[in-house]
């Protein structure tokens, strides 16, 4: 996924300052992400922007991701070895099978399988993906107090294609101390999972899969930004998302267990085809002489029953020359579970409607600790200083509402949680 | 707690808007601090995008600050 290229409330640029000559800025970064025992990702990003003055800007962003490693398939640990096929597989035998090609010749294929040891969380160890995303945005003034922003995004993975367009309108009031904005985004996605889309709630061992699917997202954001005082900027957003179409994760399954805790089979998950989500976001920035304090809060609710709270704190400490800074960051997040989330099914509770064991739809809380160091150099009257920075984050996720497993599952860790590190090197320079 | 703070924010900003913000804000010559790069919303676009990518892939919530989309998060 990529972040939006349009902000609904980007009004804090000081209109009183003279616009510099048209200048170009290159913002580039290289990131490394690694989960404990799971996936790792490398992500180079280049963002080019040109500021033509008078609120007219153009930006282009190119992002590439390369992911590999292990990813949970949704099943729970068991006291016995468990064998699964990778998404491209068609059986669990591991035996080569003969097939006929469209041209009539015979071929053989071996379904890649993997076995999870007793007590271990089942994970597909062969996960690989690459993503290329290109986005752009253009902002221009409509009048002295009003500006419009338009943008678009194309993101391609070998099993997913996403396209979106967005636009925003912002108007200043009260000597440009108040800005109201409205922004909209329309996204169209094509989902073509490896091996096909499994039939929802079908038996995993049947490998009953069909073709491609689509999904859509419409998003509206209403924003208000207010200069509260000389050192205090406040901004609030209300947003509504409407997702529709294929919202399943095609690679996630659910374990079915008997009353003794023995795994008797697996089903593919099934989520509703629609989701409406609303969120409120509030950000404040306080500028002291050598310190910036940023505090943001977000509350989100959707019609899947998920509620989440997020709080984030950033502190930026500048040195006395104002050319180096250290920025610690802390983020706290908590969500409730979707009303169809279930870590496993028993043979007596196989649903006829919706069910998912995706841990991302379960109840959990998460903490992020981050630290950034940056130094600036160069710069003149026309071009601002360049900046080189390094940043590291540590993310932990801990499950809430831990149901004890039945029978033999009681001694197993069914909720292992997640720990991840993220490192980023970023270089910004103008010319 | 967050919900109460959100309500407080809505009331605060709503009151500011309804009152014409006559008592809020600054004069143009008082914008020295607000003009600093670290006081610009979205000043850390790449870092924020990277974090949003992480949270989009690992949590059920995304967006709020800006749009979120363009990916399956299937990992």
């Amino acid at each position: 996924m990529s972040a939006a290229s349009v902000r609904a409330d980007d009004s804090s640029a000081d209109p009183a300052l003279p616009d510099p000559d048209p200048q170009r800025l290159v913002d580039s970064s290289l990131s490394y992400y690694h989960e404990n025992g799971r996936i790792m990702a490398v992500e180079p990003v280049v963002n080019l922007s040109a500021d033509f003055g008078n609120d007219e800007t153009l930006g282009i962003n190119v992002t590439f991701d390369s992911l590999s490693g292990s990813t949970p398939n949704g099943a729970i640990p068991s006291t016995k070895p468990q064998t699964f096929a990778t998404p491209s597989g068609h059986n669990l035998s591991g035996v080569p099978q003969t097939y006929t090609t469209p041209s009539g010749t015979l071929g053989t294929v071996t379904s890649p399988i993997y076995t999870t040891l007793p007590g271990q969380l089942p994970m597909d160890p062969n996960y690989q993906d690459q993503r290329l995303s290109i986005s752009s945005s253009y902002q221009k003034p409509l009048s002295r107090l009003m500006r419009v922003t338009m943008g678009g995004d194309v993101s391609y993975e070998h099993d997913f294609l996403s396209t979106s367009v967005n636009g925003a309108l912002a108007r200043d009031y009260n000597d440009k101390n108040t800005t109201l904005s409205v922004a909209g985004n329309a996204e169209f996605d094509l989902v073509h999972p490896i091996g096909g889309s499994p039939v929802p709630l079908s038996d995993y061992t049947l490998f009953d899969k069909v073709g491609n699917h689509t999904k859509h997202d419409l998003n509206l954001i209403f924003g208000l930004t207010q200069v509260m005082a000389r050192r205090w900027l406040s901004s609030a957003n209300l947003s509504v998302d409407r997702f529709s179409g294929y919202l399943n994760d095609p690679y996630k399954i659910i374990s079915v267990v008997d009353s003794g805790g023995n795994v008797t089979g697996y089903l593919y998950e099934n989520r509703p085809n629609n989701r409406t989500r609303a969120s409120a976001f509030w950000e404040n920035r306080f500028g002291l002489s050598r310190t910036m304090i940023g505090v943001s809060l977000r509350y989100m609710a959707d019609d899947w029953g998920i509620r989440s709270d997020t709080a984030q704190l950033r502190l930026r400490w500048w040195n006395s020359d104002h050319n180096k800074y250290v920025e610690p960051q802390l983020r706290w997040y908590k969500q409730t579970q979707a009303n169809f989330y279930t870590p496993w099914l028993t043979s007596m509770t196989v649903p006829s409607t919706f069910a998912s064991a995706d841990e991302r739809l379960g109840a959990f809380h998460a903490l992020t600790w981050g630290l950034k160091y940056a130094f600036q150099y160069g710069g003149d009257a026309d071009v601002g200083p360049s900046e080189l920075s390094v940043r590291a984050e540590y993310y932990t996720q801990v499950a809430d509402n831990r149901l004890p497993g039945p029978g033999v599952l009681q001694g197993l860790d069914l909720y292992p949680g997640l720990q991840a590190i993220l490192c980023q090197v970023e270089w910004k320079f103008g010319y | 707690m967050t919900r109460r703070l959100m309500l407080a924010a809505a009331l605060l900003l709503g009151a500011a808007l309804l009152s014409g913000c006559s008592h809020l804000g600054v004069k143009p010559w008082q914008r020295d601090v607000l003009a600093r790069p670290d006081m610009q919303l979205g000043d850390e676009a790449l870092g924020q995008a990277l974090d949003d990518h992480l949270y989009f892939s690992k949590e059920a919530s995304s967006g709020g600050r800006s749009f979120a989309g363009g990916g399956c998060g299937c990992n």
Side-chain angles (χ1 to χ4, degrees), chain A residues 1 14 35 65 176-177 219 227 230 275 280 282 285 288 297-298 308 316 318 331 360 372 393 395, chain B residues 6 9 21 25-26 31-32 36 38 40 44 51 53 55-61 63 67 69-70 73:
Chain A
M1 98 88 214
D14 185 354
E35 298 173 1
D65 288 332
K176 297 194 174 184
N177 284 297
N219 181 205
V227 174
R230 180 169 163 258
R275 182 185 184 193
W282 183 29
R285 293 198 183 207
L288 308 179
L297 301 169
R298 182 184 66 180
S308 74
R316 180 176 293 188
W318 291 90
R331 177 183 183 269
R360 296 170 297 185
K372 178 179 178 180
E393 283 184 356
Y395 177 78
Chain B
M6 287 290 185
C21 307
V26 297
R31 289 181 175 267
D32 54 336
R36 279 175 18 193
D38 59 1
Q40 312 307 307
E44 296 196 309
D51 285 349
H53 191 171
Y55 302 135
F56 169 83
S57 299
K58 300 300 163 191
E59 299 172 350
S61 305
F67 302 127

Side-chain angles (χ1 to χ4, degrees), chain A residues 349-369:
Chain A
T349 59
V350 172
S352 57
T353 54
F354 306 116
S356 174
D358 188 338
E359 60 192 3
R360 296 170 297 185
L361 299 179
F364 64 82
H365 63 276
L367 269 179
T368 307
W369 300 87

Side-chain angles (χ1 to χ4, degrees), chain A residues 199-371:
Chain A
V199 173
L201 297 180
S202 64
D203 186 337
Y204 173 67
T205 58
L206 298 178
F207 294 93
D208 192 2
K209 298 183 178 182
V210 293
N212 302 333
H213 294 281
T214 59
K215 65 176 178 178
H216 320 271
D217 174 22
L218 288 174
N219 181 205
L220 277 178
I221 302 178
F222 301 93
L224 166 62
T225 301
Q226 175 66 46
V227 174
M228 306 295 285
R230 180 169 163 258
R231 298 182 179 276
W232 180 12
L233 181 69
S234 189
S235 178
N237 286 347
L238 293 174
S239 64
V240 180
D241 276 291
R242 173 68 173 172
F243 302 92
S244 57
Y246 184 79
L247 304 182
N248 290 344
D249 185 329
Y251 308 127
K252 287 287 190 283
I253 59 177
I254 314 169
S255 298
V256 180
V257 301
D258 62 20
S259 57
N262 301 297
V263 176
T264 59
Y266 313 93
L267 300 181
Y268 282 105
E269 69 160 35
N270 186 31
R271 307 181 189 189
N273 288 331
N274 293 292
R275 182 185 184 193
T276 301
R277 189 173 69 181
S279 68
F281 175 81
W282 183 29
E283 179 175 10
N284 285 279
R285 293 198 183 207
F286 305 92
L288 308 179
S289 60
R290 284 169 49 188
T291 307
M292 189 283 293
I293 304 170
V295 181
S296 65
L297 301 169
R298 182 184 66 180
Y299 174 69
M300 192 221 73
D302 70 9
D303 59 358
W304 286 4
I306 299 171
R307 306 283 182 270
S308 74
D309 295 293
T310 311
Q312 190 162 2
L313 172 67
R314 285 171 56 200
L315 297 174
R316 180 176 293 188
W317 285 307
W318 291 90
N319 67 343
S320 55
D321 293 334
H322 234 271
N323 58 5
K324 296 174 186 164
Y325 64 82
V326 175
E327 184 176 299
Q329 183 177 149
L330 176 64
R331 177 183 183 269
W332 171 84
Y333 174 83
K334 185 177 179 64
Q335 73 175 46
T336 62
Q337 68 183 42
N339 48 29
F340 54 86
Y341 170 78
T342 178
W344 62 82
L345 295 165
T346 67
S347 51
M348 302 299 290
T349 59
V350 172
S352 57
T353 54
F354 306 116
S356 174
D358 188 338
E359 60 192 3
R360 296 170 297 185
L361 299 179
F364 64 82
H365 63 276
L367 269 179
T368 307
W369 300 87
L371 185 65

